[in-house]
Amino acid sequence: SHFRSFMNQYNFAFFGTDMQGMSDPDETAVREALASGKFSSVQTMWDRLHQGFLNHLVMLRMMKTSFAQDPMFGQYIDADQAYYHGISQGGIMGPVILATSPDIERGALGVMGQPYSFLLFRSVDFDPFLLIIRVFYSDYRMNQLLIGMSQMVWDRVEPNGYSHHVVENNLPGVNPKEVLMRTAIGDHQVTTFAGHIMARTMNAPHLTTGLRDIWELEPVTSTASGSFYTEYDFDLPGQPYCNVPMSMCDDPHEYPRRREAARKQLDAFLRNGTGTNFCAPGDADEHQVTAVGVCSYPSLSGCSVDETDAQDLCIPDELP
């Protein structure tokens, strides 16, 4: 419903396809592979992801050429303006597509981050798979070792191997991209700490939203061009510093893109390459600029009175 509304209001045409390797049919294959006790048999997921990315690149080329020339539908497509917009898994995997496609000018990545070996243990989405893994590998330290070792394979098909090629150090025949990156503080599925890693990898400044400073990201009030990273807050009690998912209050994972300020920001960026904070002005903290729009929506927190400190999640109930 949000995408339909955005397309109608701002005059965009969206299209997409399954990400083979991590689409619905693959979930069963991955579960069965893990249930066999042979962790290495998950390799089919990484192999199929190559095809998933290729499908996206070919689909975009098709839209810019044959579809744009179609007698019936071509009139609705401007082949000279091609962008990428990915959220969640699409935000995470977006840098691979941006780094390998010569047909895209700009890309917007929502609630994203890298690398997977860092993302997984901090995501509630990984819990069902972790339960299966722990049937055969009950020690938490072995779980970490397995996922850490698998990062060497992940690098071929995730942003850790590609995000440093998006803005600079471009692959042969591929143009540099401008990238909008934004996250939700307290996200249950994709930790903002992983978003910081991606932003630093792309040397993006922090388009400040009156919330907090971010280490090694230069705060700016706007950008005339180039890439930027920005955050939205929903008054959750921070995020755990330890290696567990945020699980307090409501999950704000899908909230940023639905805010009208975010919709305006996305439209302005895709069309003009500008980074603008459309949130209502407020007082920023002493370390940031003043009179900046504060992108905070406390009414959406869903917090109860006893949910006050995310660091409580870091206190183990039992030793590994």
Side-chain angles (χ1 to χ4, degrees), residues 35 41 70 75 94 156 193 212 227 273 282 301:
S41 60
D70 183 85
Q75 60 182 313
R156 299 184 296 128
F193 298 143
R212 61 181 181 179
S227 303
S301 73

Side-chain angles (χ1 to χ4, degrees), residues 22-74:
M22 299 189 77
S23 56
D24 287 346
D26 298 287
E27 182 175 354
T28 300
V30 170
R31 288 180 182 272
E32 291 177 352
L34 294 175
S36 71
K38 297 179 180 179
F39 187 81
S40 60
S41 60
V42 183
Q43 67 184 33
T44 56
M45 174 184 66
W46 294 300
D47 292 340
R48 281 173 52 81
L49 273 167
H50 287 285
Q51 186 66 52
F53 289 119
L54 181 60
N55 290 350
H56 279 76
L57 299 181
V58 173
M59 177 186 62
L60 177 58
R61 179 63 59 85
M62 180 271 292
M63 292 295 295
K64 286 173 61 71
T65 55
S66 57
F67 194 92
Q69 299 166 11
D70 183 85
M72 181 176 296
F73 298 108

